Protein backbone atom coordinates (compact mmCIF):
# COMPACT_ATOMS: atom_id res chain seq x y z
CA UNK A 1 0.00 0.00 0.00
CA UNK A 2 1.23 3.48 -0.87
CA UNK A 3 -0.35 6.94 -0.68
CA UNK A 4 -0.36 6.99 -4.49
CA UNK A 5 -2.60 3.91 -4.56
CA UNK A 6 -5.47 5.66 -2.77
CA UNK A 7 -6.76 6.74 0.63
CA UNK A 8 -5.23 3.91 2.66
CA UNK A 9 -5.83 3.26 6.36
CA UNK A 10 -4.08 1.30 9.10
CA UNK A 11 -5.77 0.03 12.24
CA UNK A 12 -3.62 -0.34 15.37
CA UNK A 13 -4.30 -2.42 18.45
CA UNK A 14 -3.27 -0.68 21.70
CA UNK A 15 -2.07 -2.98 24.50
CA UNK A 16 1.12 -4.77 23.47
CA UNK A 17 1.16 -3.11 20.05
CA UNK A 18 1.30 0.64 20.65
CA UNK A 19 2.13 0.55 24.36
CA UNK A 20 2.03 -1.32 27.64
CA UNK A 21 0.55 0.26 30.75
CA UNK A 22 2.67 -1.74 33.18
CA UNK A 23 -0.37 -3.38 34.76
CA UNK A 24 -2.48 -0.24 35.11
CA UNK A 25 -5.55 -1.89 33.60
CA UNK A 26 -5.31 -4.86 35.93
CA UNK A 27 -4.87 -2.50 38.89
CA UNK A 28 -7.99 -0.54 37.91
CA UNK A 29 -10.06 -3.73 37.58
CA UNK A 30 -8.78 -4.92 40.96
CA UNK A 31 -9.74 -1.65 42.64
CA UNK A 32 -13.16 -1.66 40.99
CA UNK A 33 -14.14 -5.14 42.17
CA UNK A 34 -12.65 -4.56 45.60
CA UNK A 35 -14.71 -1.38 45.96
CA UNK A 36 -17.97 -2.82 44.61
CA UNK A 37 -17.86 -6.44 45.73
CA UNK A 38 -15.11 -6.71 48.34
CA UNK A 39 -13.10 -9.30 46.39
CA UNK A 40 -9.49 -9.39 45.24
CA UNK A 41 -9.18 -9.90 41.48
CA UNK A 42 -6.09 -10.53 39.37
CA UNK A 43 -7.31 -10.49 35.78
CA UNK A 44 -4.12 -12.19 34.59
CA UNK A 45 -5.34 -15.33 36.37
CA UNK A 46 -8.59 -15.35 34.42
CA UNK A 47 -8.00 -13.72 31.02
CA UNK A 48 -5.71 -13.84 28.00
CA UNK A 49 -4.23 -11.06 25.89
CA UNK A 50 -6.55 -9.59 23.27
CA UNK A 51 -9.82 -9.96 25.18
CA UNK A 52 -12.33 -7.10 25.13
CA UNK A 53 -13.26 -5.21 28.29
CA UNK A 54 -16.83 -6.61 28.23
CA UNK A 55 -15.34 -10.13 28.02
CA UNK A 56 -13.09 -9.38 30.99
CA UNK A 57 -15.98 -8.12 33.11
CA UNK A 58 -18.06 -11.19 32.25
CA UNK A 59 -15.25 -13.58 33.13
CA UNK A 60 -14.58 -11.90 36.47
CA UNK A 61 -18.24 -12.13 37.44
CA UNK A 62 -18.46 -15.76 36.37
CA UNK A 63 -15.13 -17.08 37.68
CA UNK A 64 -14.60 -14.92 40.77
CA UNK A 65 -18.11 -14.06 41.94
CA UNK A 66 -19.66 -17.29 40.68
CA UNK A 67 -22.50 -15.69 38.71
CA UNK A 68 -23.09 -13.87 35.46
CA UNK A 69 -23.87 -10.43 36.87
CA UNK A 70 -26.80 -8.39 35.61
CA UNK A 71 -26.66 -5.38 33.31
CA UNK A 72 -26.60 -2.88 36.18
CA UNK A 73 -23.79 -4.70 37.97
CA UNK A 74 -21.65 -4.90 34.84
CA UNK A 75 -22.28 -1.23 34.08
CA UNK A 76 -21.21 -0.28 37.59
CA UNK A 77 -18.09 -2.44 37.32
CA UNK A 78 -17.03 -0.81 34.04
CA UNK A 79 -17.80 2.66 35.40
CA UNK A 80 -15.75 2.01 38.52
CA UNK A 81 -12.91 0.62 36.39
CA UNK A 82 -12.89 3.84 34.37
CA UNK A 83 -12.91 5.87 37.58
CA UNK A 84 -9.69 4.22 38.76
CA UNK A 85 -7.94 3.88 35.39
CA UNK A 86 -6.55 7.45 34.93
CA UNK A 87 -4.72 7.38 38.25
CA UNK A 88 -3.52 3.81 37.69
CA UNK A 89 -2.07 4.77 34.29
CA UNK A 90 -0.52 7.99 35.61
CA UNK A 91 1.16 6.21 38.52
CA UNK A 92 2.37 3.12 36.64
CA UNK A 93 6.13 2.74 36.65
CA UNK A 94 5.94 0.27 33.79
CA UNK A 95 4.13 2.42 31.23
CA UNK A 96 6.04 2.61 27.95
CA UNK A 97 5.55 2.91 24.22
CA UNK A 98 6.53 -0.04 22.09
CA UNK A 99 9.78 0.15 20.05
CA UNK A 100 9.50 2.28 16.93
CA UNK A 101 5.98 3.60 17.57
CA UNK A 102 7.07 7.19 18.23
CA UNK A 103 8.85 7.23 14.87
CA UNK A 104 6.32 5.25 12.84
CA UNK A 105 3.07 7.10 13.59
CA UNK A 106 4.12 10.61 12.49
CA UNK A 107 5.82 9.11 9.43
CA UNK A 108 2.59 7.42 8.38
CA UNK A 109 0.59 10.60 8.96
CA UNK A 110 3.07 12.60 6.89
CA UNK A 111 2.63 10.09 4.05
CA UNK A 112 -1.10 10.75 4.02
CA UNK A 113 -2.26 7.50 5.61
CA UNK A 114 -5.39 7.45 7.76
CA UNK A 115 -4.77 5.87 11.17
CA UNK A 116 -7.39 4.21 13.33
CA UNK A 117 -7.66 2.02 16.41
CA UNK A 118 -8.96 -1.52 16.77
CA UNK A 119 -8.93 -2.48 20.43
CA UNK A 120 -10.71 -4.50 23.07
CA UNK A 121 -10.63 -1.47 25.34
CA UNK A 122 -13.88 0.39 25.75
CA UNK A 123 -13.50 3.75 24.04
CA UNK A 124 -12.88 5.87 27.15
CA UNK A 125 -10.25 3.43 28.44
CA UNK A 126 -8.47 3.45 25.08
CA UNK A 127 -8.04 7.21 25.13
CA UNK A 128 -6.95 7.23 28.78
CA UNK A 129 -4.17 4.78 27.95
CA UNK A 130 -3.09 6.68 24.83
CA UNK A 131 -3.10 10.08 26.54
CA UNK A 132 -0.06 9.50 28.72
CA UNK A 133 2.02 8.71 25.61
CA UNK A 134 0.51 11.65 23.66
CA UNK A 135 -0.78 9.25 21.01
CA UNK A 136 -4.45 10.30 20.72
CA UNK A 137 -3.49 12.96 18.19
CA UNK A 138 -2.59 10.34 15.56
CA UNK A 139 -5.92 8.48 15.43
CA UNK A 140 -9.04 9.83 13.76
CA UNK A 141 -11.38 6.85 14.22
CA UNK A 142 -11.56 3.40 15.74
CA UNK A 143 -13.41 0.29 16.82
CA UNK A 144 -13.62 -0.46 20.55
CA UNK A 145 -14.69 -3.03 23.10
CA UNK A 146 -17.67 -0.77 23.73
CA UNK A 147 -18.85 -1.58 20.19
CA UNK A 148 -18.90 -5.33 20.75
CA UNK A 149 -17.43 -8.09 22.89
CA UNK A 150 -16.43 -9.82 19.63
CA UNK A 151 -13.10 -8.69 18.17
CA UNK A 152 -14.16 -9.29 14.56
CA UNK A 153 -17.20 -7.07 15.07
CA UNK A 154 -14.94 -4.46 16.68
CA UNK A 155 -12.78 -4.52 13.54
CA UNK A 156 -15.83 -4.20 11.33
CA UNK A 157 -16.98 -1.18 13.35
CA UNK A 158 -13.57 0.44 12.86
CA UNK A 159 -13.75 -0.16 9.11
CA UNK A 160 -17.20 1.44 8.88
CA UNK A 161 -15.94 4.51 10.71
CA UNK A 162 -12.89 4.64 8.50
CA UNK A 163 -15.13 4.82 5.45
CA UNK A 164 -17.01 7.74 7.01
CA UNK A 165 -13.86 9.62 8.00
CA UNK A 166 -12.29 9.10 4.58
CA UNK A 167 -15.38 10.33 2.79
CA UNK A 168 -16.15 6.89 1.45
CA UNK A 169 -12.81 6.45 -0.24
CA UNK A 170 -11.65 3.22 1.41
CA UNK A 171 -12.10 0.37 -1.03
CA UNK A 172 -11.33 -3.34 -0.80
CA UNK A 173 -7.76 -3.99 0.31
CA UNK A 174 -7.17 -0.38 1.31
CA UNK A 175 -6.90 -1.13 5.03
CA UNK A 176 -4.70 -3.40 7.13
CA UNK A 177 -4.53 -4.03 10.87
CA UNK A 178 -1.58 -4.25 13.26
CA UNK A 179 -1.76 -6.37 16.40
CA UNK A 180 0.26 -8.51 18.78
CA UNK A 181 -2.02 -11.49 19.47
CA UNK A 182 -3.61 -14.36 17.53
CA UNK A 183 -6.98 -12.82 18.45
CA UNK A 184 -5.96 -9.69 16.53
CA UNK A 185 -5.05 -11.83 13.52
CA UNK A 186 -8.33 -13.76 13.58
CA UNK A 187 -10.35 -10.56 14.00
CA UNK A 188 -8.71 -8.85 11.04
CA UNK A 189 -9.16 -11.86 8.80
CA UNK A 190 -12.74 -12.25 9.98
CA UNK A 191 -13.36 -8.68 8.85
CA UNK A 192 -11.69 -9.35 5.50
CA UNK A 193 -8.42 -7.46 5.93
CA UNK A 194 -4.75 -8.40 6.17
CA UNK A 195 -2.91 -8.25 9.48
CA UNK A 196 0.62 -7.37 10.57
CA UNK A 197 1.56 -9.43 13.61
CA UNK A 198 4.13 -7.63 15.76
CA UNK A 199 5.89 -9.60 18.49
CA UNK A 200 6.04 -6.84 21.09
CA UNK A 201 3.44 -8.48 23.33
CA UNK A 202 3.22 -12.00 24.72
CA UNK A 203 3.46 -13.85 21.40
CA UNK A 204 6.53 -14.55 19.28
CA UNK A 205 7.06 -13.99 15.57
CA UNK A 206 6.65 -17.73 15.02
CA UNK A 207 3.42 -17.92 17.02
CA UNK A 208 1.93 -14.98 15.13
CA UNK A 209 2.97 -16.49 11.81
CA UNK A 210 1.39 -19.79 12.82
CA UNK A 211 -1.77 -17.89 13.75
CA UNK A 212 -1.95 -16.73 10.14
CA UNK A 213 -0.53 -13.20 10.25
CA UNK A 214 0.12 -11.92 6.73
CA UNK A 215 3.34 -10.32 7.99
CA UNK A 216 5.03 -11.34 11.25
CA UNK A 217 7.75 -9.01 12.58
CA UNK A 218 9.71 -8.41 15.78
CA UNK A 219 8.92 -4.68 16.00
CA UNK A 220 7.50 -2.04 13.68
CA UNK A 221 11.11 -0.95 13.09
CA UNK A 222 11.81 -4.18 11.26
CA UNK A 223 9.88 -5.11 8.13
CA UNK A 224 6.77 -2.99 8.56
CA UNK A 225 5.03 -3.37 5.16
CA UNK A 226 4.33 0.28 4.39
Amino acid sequence: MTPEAGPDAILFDIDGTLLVTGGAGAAAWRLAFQELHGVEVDIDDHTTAGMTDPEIASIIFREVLGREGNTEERSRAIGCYLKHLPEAVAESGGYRLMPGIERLLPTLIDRGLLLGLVTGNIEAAAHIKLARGDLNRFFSFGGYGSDSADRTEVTEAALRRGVLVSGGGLGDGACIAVGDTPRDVRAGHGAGIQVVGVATGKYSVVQLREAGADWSIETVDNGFPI
Side-chain angles (χ1 to χ4, degrees), residues 6 13 24 28 40 46 69-70 80 110 112 117-118 122 129 132 142 144 147 149 161 165 172 175-176 185 196 207 213:
D13 172 57
E40 288 287 335
H46 302 275
N70 58 40
C80 197
D110 288 344
L117 299 167
V118 57
I122 55 177
K129 291 180 178 182
R132 178 171 166 180
Y144 307 91
D147 292 312
R161 293 187 180 118
V165 172
D172 291 343
C175 186
I176 64 173
V185 176
V196 181
Q207 288 173 309

Side-chain angles (χ1 to χ4, degrees), residues 23-189:
W29 280 117
R30 183 177 65 251
L31 290 168
F33 274 85
Q34 187 176 51
E35 178 179 327
L36 294 174
H37 300 283
V39 296
E40 288 287 335
V41 172
D42 184 345
I43 67 169
D44 290 336
D45 292 338
H46 302 275
T47 63
T48 58
M51 285 186 170
T52 64
D53 282 342
E55 283 183 295
I56 292 170
S58 295
I59 287 171
I60 295 174
F61 269 102
R62 185 167 56 251
E63 296 187 2
V64 178
L65 298 180
R67 54 191 174 84
E68 292 299 322
N70 58 40
T71 300
E72 181 181 346
E73 288 177 318
R74 292 190 190 195
S75 296
R76 285 181 175 174
I78 288 174
C80 197
Y81 163 70
L82 287 175
K83 179 179 75 174
H84 290 292
L85 186 60
E87 185 174 357
V89 170
E91 293 183 350
S92 174
Y95 183 102
R96 61 187 173 89
L97 301 185
M98 294 291 92
I101 290 299
E102 288 182 282
R103 291 183 294 275
L104 177 65
L105 297 183
T107 298
L108 296 176
I109 292 291
D110 288 344
R111 291 183 60 178
L113 295 170
L114 189 65
L115 304 187
L117 299 167
V118 57
T119 175
N121 288 282
I122 55 177
E123 186 169 0
H127 295 303
I128 289 168
K129 291 180 178 182
L130 293 172
R132 178 171 166 180
D134 194 27
L135 297 186
N136 278 309
R137 60 199 170 101
F138 295 110
F139 300 100
S140 55
F141 68 100
Y144 307 91
S146 39
D147 292 312
S148 174
D150 181 274
R151 286 296 294 249
T152 297
E153 292 179 0
V154 169
T155 306
E156 291 169 343
L159 291 171
R160 288 193 298 271
R161 293 187 180 118
V163 169
L164 289 172
V165 172
S166 69
L170 292 181
D172 291 343
C175 186
I176 64 173
V178 185
D180 67 291
T181 74
R183 281 174 175 259
D184 298 326
V185 176
R186 291 193 296 271
H189 289 169

